[in-house]
Amino acid sequence: ARLNGCPSQLKQGEDYTSLCAFVQYRLGLNYINTDELFSGQESFENVIELSKCVDSLFKICFPLVASLNELAILCSHTDDETALKLLLKAKSVFEACKSQPTPLTDKDWFPSELHTTILKEKSFEDIHTHTLYYLAQVYSNLDDKKLSAVYCQITLSRQLNNKLYDPVEWSLNAANMSQYYMQTNNYAQSRHCLASAQVILKQYITESEPIDDPALKERLQRSEADVSRCWIKYCISLLKSSKKVLDKEGDSDVNKDALHRFEPLLVSEIEGEVLCVLAEDYQGARSIFLFAQKHVQKAKSFFTFDNCVLDYVAIAQDYSQLFKLLAAFETDLSLKCRMHKRRIDMLSSLLSISRNHYLVLIGQLHYEIG
């Protein structure tokens, strides 16, 4: 191993232990990358054992947190509870060390370029971001949606602040997180997540134009369509909650938890296009419907009937639901009938799909038409 550039002021005994921990961590990564999972697990466990031999975690916290993360990933395939314990341990180690001097990183022992204190701190912060991201996944697997959303929210904020994220992945994670808040009637937070997802995608597309790579172009178009589908679900949920109040079957209050904003994104213009409170009358319901209708058209422009029949039908079913919910707010019987007639025509046109391949789906369409 290269030792040039190692801090000479460190005690030699703990120097050796720290170096061994970094070597074991690097070995573990190599084993994992070559699908030698058992050997990789042993190397990461060796790092944990070595951490018990030092007086200060400062010299070993980087490989320790990283190894705990890697072990949690391995355990998550079979034992989410153990993975959770490992990740919470990684989180506690980071919190114990973040107020200390800048931790050693593997670049201190294996220098390939000049690494400043700021870069070292950023590297350690990135490892912690991974911990929070994995916590969100594990809590989701354990069906703790609330904590999963909290950690996902923190992760997305840290990625924005550090400017280390894939715009497409970030936007889809934000859009998916909106669905949790939608289910808890926290429509303000749900709307903010979707607006943020839309802004990130728009910024990336604008900065990348012209886009010559067909695969990237399709990926971006699909992502925009996926975000639009999440907007449609948001509007359906908002109208359903509004209808329950209209029918005196639900509470008129929405979740008013403090709004967590993704700074410094400017999303007020998009947020201003749609309500985050329940519609009280036809005009309010219509404004939600029209916003959703715009996203229905955008989603259908990518998920076409010829290329993505299942997605296209699902979008059409959502569109039918929007008409049904809007009709509940209409007092004019003739206009209400026209809306339902529009739904019947829309769904009937989909019955041409293959009965051999989509028999269950055809049954669903017949039921909804009936």
Side-chain angles (χ1 to χ4, degrees):
R2 284 185 60 188
L3 297 179
N4 295 334
C6 295
S8 58
Q9 69 271 26
L10 297 180
K11 295 178 182 179
Q12 187 171 354
E14 292 198 346
D15 270 3
Y16 178 74
T17 304
S18 176
L19 175 58
C20 287
F22 279 101
V23 170
Q24 287 294 326
Y25 168 62
R26 284 287 192 94
L27 281 174
L29 290 181
N30 288 337
Y31 284 131
I32 295 299
N33 291 333
T34 55
D35 289 331
E36 298 179 66
L37 303 185
F38 181 74
S39 296
Q41 180 177 335
E42 281 191 328
S43 292
F44 296 136
E45 288 172 346
N46 288 340
V47 175
I48 296 176
E49 291 302 312
L50 286 167
S51 71
K52 301 174 183 178
C53 303
V54 295
D55 295 329
S56 173
L57 287 177
F58 153 73
K59 300 173 184 178
I60 203 172
C61 57
F62 183 95
L64 177 57
V65 172
S67 295
L68 287 166
N69 283 350
E70 296 295 336
L71 281 172
I73 294 172
L74 292 173
C75 289
S76 65
H77 300 300
T78 55
D79 187 353
D80 285 312
E81 292 289 352
T82 300
L84 177 60
K85 291 177 183 178
L86 290 166
L87 292 170
L88 290 175
K89 173 66 175 176
K91 181 172 176 282
S92 68
V93 171
F94 171 84
E95 290 171 347
C97 295
K98 68 178 180 180
S99 60
Q100 298 180 13
T102 306
L104 294 178
T105 71
D106 53 351
K107 301 299 189 296
D108 290 295
W109 291 113
F110 312 106
S112 57
E113 58 184 70
L114 180 63
H115 287 270
T116 65
T117 299
I118 294 177
L119 287 175
K120 288 164 61 178
E121 288 176 348
K122 189 174 182 181
S123 180
F124 191 46
E125 289 285 339
D126 291 343
I127 289 291
H128 182 55
T129 300
H130 291 155
T131 301
L132 299 174
Y133 175 78
Y134 300 141
L135 275 169
Q137 309 307 309
V138 169
Y139 274 121
S140 178
N141 293 342
L142 293 172
D143 206 31
D144 191 333
K145 303 303 181 185
K146 184 175 182 179
L147 277 176
S148 177
V150 168
Y151 280 107
C152 186
Q153 195 173 72
I154 297 171
T155 301
L156 295 177
S157 293
R158 289 174 63 88
Q159 288 175 334
L160 270 182
N161 293 334
N162 296 333
K163 298 181 179 179
L164 285 174
Y165 60 92
D166 177 277
V168 173
E169 183 179 341
W170 193 98
S171 65
L172 291 180
N173 284 333
N176 288 330
M177 189 168 64
S178 76
Q179 305 302 287
Y180 162 75
Y181 289 113
M182 179 187 75
Q183 293 167 8
T184 61
N185 286 350
N186 191 344
Y187 291 110
Q189 190 66 62
S190 180
R191 181 182 67 173
H192 183 72
C193 290
L194 285 168
S196 300
Q198 192 171 329
V199 164
I200 286 291
L201 272 180
K202 185 177 180 180
Q203 286 178 352
Y204 182 62
I205 292 171
T206 300
E207 293 169 1
S208 303
E209 290 179 342
I211 302 173
D212 299 321
D213 184 355
L216 175 60
K217 188 174 183 178
E218 181 179 353
R219 185 181 182 221
L220 291 172
Q221 289 174 341
R222 185 185 188 94
S223 299
E224 285 188 301
D226 285 334
V227 171
S228 285
R229 293 184 70 177
C230 289
W231 272 122
I232 296 167
K233 295 295 186 184
Y234 168 88
C235 292
I236 289 174
S237 178
L238 190 55
L239 286 173
K240 279 184 176 179
S241 296
S242 301
K243 182 179 179 296
K244 286 180 180 179
V245 175
L246 182 71
D247 297 337
K248 296 181 172 53
E249 296 177 356
D251 194 342
S252 59
D253 290 334
V254 295
N255 190 320
K256 296 179 180 179
D257 289 347
L259 180 64
H260 176 93
R261 290 196 169 274
F262 293 116
E263 303 292 351
L265 297 181
L266 303 177
V267 298
S268 57
E269 183 177 346
I270 296 175
E271 288 181 331
E273 296 179 18
V274 64
L275 295 173
C276 66
V277 294
L278 303 184
E280 298 178 353
D281 51 28
Y282 177 78
Q283 290 304 318
R286 182 174 179 272
S287 70
I288 298 171
F289 172 86
L290 292 176
F291 178 81
Q293 185 173 242
K294 179 180 70 174
H295 284 284
V296 167
Q297 301 308 322
K298 184 177 290 187
K300 287 168 69 174
S301 68
F302 180 81
F303 296 108
T304 62
F305 184 77
D306 293 332
N307 298 327
C308 309
V309 63
L310 290 176
D311 293 294
Y312 183 90
V313 171
I315 294 167
Q317 288 176 308
D318 285 341
Y319 197 17
S320 171
Q321 281 294 305
L322 288 166
F323 272 107
K324 180 181 179 180
L325 292 164
L326 180 62
F329 289 86
E330 179 56 72
T331 56
D332 187 316
L333 185 58
S334 63
L335 292 177
K336 191 188 291 274
C337 289
R338 289 180 191 176
M339 291 181 193
H340 287 299
K341 177 64 165 60
R342 177 74 181 273
R343 293 178 58 221
I344 292 171
D345 293 342
M346 184 194 314
L347 297 174
S348 296
S349 68
L350 301 174
L351 294 175
S352 60
I353 60 177
S354 171
R355 184 174 294 272
N356 292 331
H357 295 93
Y358 305 110
L359 184 60
V360 174
L361 187 55
I362 289 175
Q364 292 174 358
L365 293 172
H366 277 297
Y367 179 82
E368 191 167 351
I369 291 170

